[in-house]
Every structure is written in C-alpha cells, then in structure tokens.
C-alpha cells in the first residue's frame, strides 16, 4: 500500500462559487428591469418595443427559475456524491401473498 497521498483523480471538480452565480443573476435581472423601465417611461408603443419587453420578462423568469431549480439540482448532486441516499424507496406489497403490514402509524 502506497502512502503517496490522496489520488488526484478523486479530487472534486472546481465549481463556480455561489457568490459568482448570484452576481451573474443580479446583473441579468437588473438589465431586464432597466430595459422594461426604459421602455415603459420613454419607449414608443411599437411592436418592436413590445417584443423586447416580453423578451425581458421571459428572460427574468427563466433566470429565476433556473436559479431556484438549479440550486435544488446542485444540492441533490452534492448529496449523492457524498454518499447520502436521496430517499428510501417505498416498498411495493402488490402481488405478494402475505398479509399487508399494519397501517396504524404512530397511533
């Protein structure tokens, strides 16, 4: 057995910090808000400006959705890489010729 140290192949891959992710998200949301405010205050009522405003709203919604669900997905991946099980599977008793387990949970 060699005592050369930890295997470099087992080292975790570098990930961008949450501070960097939050900055990118904040800048994007501020850009979308600035576009909408500008178009509301000084923009003319044209179909181009309407399309730009709709795109800004859709981009802001997509960024917020990706931030929330991306964080959940990232946390689930971290937990699975740490070796913690996600959630135990429920047992399926259908098709088994045995009495069903009691349903008096905690009473």
């Amino acid at each position: 057995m060699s005592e050369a140290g930890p295997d470099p192949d087992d080292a975790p891959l570098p990930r961008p910090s949450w501070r960097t992710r939050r900055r990118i998200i904040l800048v994007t949301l501020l850009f979308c808000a600035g576009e909408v405010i500008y178009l509301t205050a000084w923009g003319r009522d044209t179909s181009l400006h309407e399309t730009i405003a709709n795109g800004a709203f859709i981009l802001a919604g997509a960024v917020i959705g990706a931030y929330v669900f991306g964080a959940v997905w990232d946390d689930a991946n971290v937990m699975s890489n740490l070796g913690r099980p996600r959630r135990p599977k429920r047992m399926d008793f259908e098709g088994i010729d045995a009495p069903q387990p009691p349903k008096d949970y905690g009473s």
Side-chain angles (χ1 to χ4, degrees):
M1 192 181 233
S2 142
E3 294 188 32
D7 187 12
D9 292 336
D10 292 340
L13 295 174
R15 297 181 350 194
S17 71
W18 278 104
R19 180 179 296 212
T20 304
R21 294 176 190 182
R22 278 191 290 268
R23 279 189 190 141
I24 293 169
I25 290 165
L26 182 63
V27 167
T28 304
L29 292 177
L30 287 174
F31 172 75
C32 291
E35 274 187 10
V36 171
I37 290 170
Y38 175 78
L39 290 174
T40 302
W42 297 284
R44 285 186 263 157
D45 192 14
T46 64
S47 64
L48 175 63
H49 288 172
E50 181 182 344
T51 303
I52 292 171
N54 285 337
F57 281 122
I58 291 170
L59 176 62
V63 165
I64 292 169
Y67 179 73
V68 171
F69 294 112
V72 171
W73 189 349
D74 190 41
D75 289 346
N77 286 337
V78 167
M79 290 300 188
S80 68
N81 288 337
L82 291 176
R84 296 183 182 148
R86 290 186 182 196
R87 184 176 281 201
K89 288 188 172 184
R90 295 183 60 111
M91 295 198 56
D92 183 21
F93 292 103
E94 296 299 321
I96 297 177
D97 290 337
Q100 293 290 323
K103 302 285 186 193
D104 57 345
Y105 303 113
S107 57

